Amino acid sequence: MQHEKRLAALILIFLIKSGASGKRKEVVCCLFNNEGKERRQSLCTQSVQLTDDIVGGCRSPQVSSPSHKRLIRVLQLGHCSSSYAPSPLTLMTLLDICPADWRSALSDVLTSVTAQGIENQLAQELASGNGYYPRFHRLFAALEGLSPRDVRVVILGQDPYHGEHQATGRAFEVSESTSAPPSLVNIGKMLERDLGVAVGNRFQIGRWSEQGVLLLNTTLSVRAGEPESHKGLGWQTITDRIISVIAASEKPTVFLLWGAHAQRKSVLVNGPQNLVLTAPHPSPLSAYRGFFDCAHFSATNQWLTSQGEQAIRWESAC
């Protein structure tokens, strides 16, 4: 109940500032009463719709300003979800959470209709009680600490892990407290076979990013418990741009494309400064077709050193 009261207060403030009618404000004030759960959720839904209607039809600079539009976002993220409390992070857009080094290259796609649609769909996931992974502020975690000119290797994944406490925002990586999924286990097996290193129980491939390895999923979110559920949201408009920006750089870059989905992105990678290596996906369903023997880690280092670049210390993940 306390969550609904906080949400109602936010909505009421917005309605007052926008000059809403007494009838509309009355709907929100009902949320402070001891209504049943279903009744409160219904009122929350009505209130959020009212704020949407006001922003959509109002020409006031104050109401249509970005700050008020972000307030609409936090209302959408929070309504009807008693387990999700709006925080300052939910006031942010995709452009806001994009690392600064990438904003100039991505600003147009991150402010596009497609990006706004993604934001709305993620809000709806929370509003309907589904949830998604990773959390909003981690959607661009793969880009953190790397500028476009820092990237030396790109490993493409498909979409984040769909289990709780798994997705980190980087392809194939899981948090340290989570057991390695089968695909990550198989990547470790390939590393052992290729370079003869002992992977052990703590295989943290996110450490590779410190050396310029980008672990990028082509879809950056997933509904909890439902793999590939967000593949139609429009994320590939954004991730295709990321791939194209890296491929256009003059810096020697290796693209490791594992599986048919990743290999379709090879059309975005051109020029002698780029090397594309392909192999079956590390999933148990396909790894036996040649992934374990692809030796991509050693092949990557051989090519990088031939281009005057330092080799990747792949064993740093072990």
Side-chain angles (χ1 to χ4, degrees), residues 12-307:
L12 184 58
I13 290 170
F14 179 81
L15 294 179
I16 291 172
K17 287 186 176 182
S18 61
S21 66
K23 173 70 173 177
R24 287 174 167 178
K25 285 179 278 191
E26 182 180 355
V27 170
V28 184
C29 289
C30 287
L31 290 172
F32 288 96
N33 299 327
N34 292 323
E35 303 280 356
K37 181 178 178 181
E38 291 185 2
R39 174 64 171 158
R40 292 201 312 271
Q41 289 188 338
S42 175
L43 290 168
C44 263
T45 303
Q46 292 179 49
S47 302
V48 172
Q49 183 60 55
L50 289 175
T51 57
D52 277 339
D53 292 344
I54 291 171
V55 169
C58 181
R59 297 183 179 180
S60 165
Q62 180 185 18
V63 175
S64 59
S65 68
S67 62
H68 280 86
K69 289 179 179 178
R70 290 177 188 177
L71 178 55
I72 293 300
R73 172 169 170 74
V74 74
L75 298 179
Q76 291 174 323
L77 285 169
H79 91 281
C80 301
S81 176
S82 59
S83 63
Y84 186 84
S87 73
L89 287 173
T90 56
L91 295 172
M92 296 183 177
T93 64
L94 291 177
L95 182 62
D96 291 327
I97 64 171
C98 178
D101 286 336
W102 294 85
R103 286 181 189 169
S104 61
L106 304 179
S107 60
D108 59 330
V109 293
L110 293 182
T111 54
S112 65
V113 173
T114 297
Q116 293 170 14
I118 292 172
E119 293 168 357
N120 291 337
Q121 288 295 318
L122 295 180
Q124 185 57 43
E125 291 284 28
L126 293 177
S128 61
N130 288 323
Y132 64 86
Y133 302 120
R135 293 293 295 271
F136 188 77
H137 68 287
R138 296 293 298 169
L139 291 171
F140 291 121
L143 305 180
E144 292 176 359
L146 288 171
S147 69
R149 62 183 176 275
D150 292 331
V151 177
R152 300 196 291 147
V153 180
V154 178
I155 299 178
L156 282 186
Q158 192 161 347
D159 64 343
Y161 295 120
H162 58 274
E164 189 175 9
H165 305 307
Q166 285 188 309
T168 66
R170 296 187 180 98
F172 297 110
E173 183 192 43
V174 293
S175 60
E176 290 190 30
S177 60
T178 304
S179 299
S183 292
L184 182 58
V185 170
N186 285 341
I187 293 172
K189 290 180 179 179
M190 191 265 279
L191 177 61
E192 289 181 332
R193 185 173 299 188
D194 184 13
L195 299 181
V197 299
V199 170
N201 296 326
R202 293 289 182 182
F203 188 40
Q204 295 297 312
I205 64 175
R207 296 172 184 168
W208 292 340
S209 65
E210 299 171 3
Q211 303 174 69
V213 179
L214 175 63
L215 302 170
L216 181 68
N217 282 314
T218 55
T219 297
L220 298 184
S221 65
V222 65
R223 183 181 301 131
E226 298 184 32
E228 299 187 47
S229 50
H230 284 182
K231 66 179 182 180
L233 258 60
W235 278 119
Q236 294 194 32
T237 300
I238 297 171
T239 53
D240 281 1
R241 171 66 66 82
I242 293 172
I243 296 168
S244 297
V245 167
I246 296 168
S249 169
E250 296 180 357
K251 190 178 184 66
T253 309
V254 182
F255 290 79
L256 303 185
L257 308 184
W258 298 337
H261 177 83
Q263 288 160 20
R264 285 195 287 271
K265 300 301 179 181
S266 62
V267 298
L268 302 173
V269 183
N270 298 297
Q273 78 278 17
N274 298 313
L275 174 67
V276 174
L277 298 176
T278 62
H281 193 276
S283 163
L285 298 176
S286 56
Y288 68 92
R289 298 174 186 164
F291 176 77
F292 294 118
D293 295 316
C294 70
H296 276 184
F297 296 125
S298 60
T300 294
N301 281 350
Q302 289 170 10
W303 188 80
L304 286 175
T305 55
S306 73
Q307 301 297 309

Side-chain angles (χ1 to χ4, degrees), residues 303-317:
W303 188 80
L304 286 175
T305 55
S306 73
Q307 301 297 309
E309 298 288 325
Q310 287 188 341
I312 303 294
R313 292 178 289 103
W314 299 110
E315 66 277 9
S316 65

